[in-house]
Amino acid sequence: MRRRSYAIWWNEGDGPKHVGKLEIARPHAFLSADGSTRLAVPLADITGVEYRRGEVRVDRRGTTALRIGSLDAPGTLRELAHSLES
């Protein structure tokens, strides 16, 4: 699978909002922001992906949900949600 990259904002639970990018490269999704904030999400730990009101909610096994919004072109968020689901 080729690596896909998206310009996003994201946060975990009620935590601070980060602006950066998300890269999907099996078996992980990598989120990074401001050079020091990083998060690797094993795709196997994703239990649900829901697109609603301009953001994607990603439920993960054993930890808080992620909220992700797009800073990219229109339609990118739906593509991102589909990529995380499959």
Side-chain angles (χ1 to χ4, degrees):
M1 171 182 215
R2 78 181 215 286
R3 180 174 280 213
R4 287 176 275 177
S5 180
Y6 302 91
I8 61 159
W9 62 262
W10 59 278
N11 73 335
E12 290 184 272
D14 293 328
K17 191 179 280 188
H18 305 282
V19 174
K21 68 179 178 177
L22 181 144
E23 294 178 277
I24 300 174
R26 301 241 182 250
H28 292 88
F30 299 98
L31 294 90
S32 60
D34 65 40
S36 63
T37 304
R38 295 189 177 133
L39 177 66
V41 177
L43 297 175
D45 287 353
I46 294 175
T47 59
V49 177
E50 181 182 2
Y51 173 82
R52 62 179 167 168
R53 286 183 262 153
E55 55 183 60
V56 173
R57 177 187 167 102
V58 179
D59 294 316
R60 301 177 291 162
R61 187 174 302 121
T63 190
T64 59
L66 290 172
R67 288 181 26 226
I68 300 171
S70 177
L71 302 175
D72 255 330
T76 301
L77 206 51
R78 288 186 192 270
E79 177 185 324
L80 170 65
H82 177 71
S83 294
L84 291 172
E85 286 177 322
S86 55

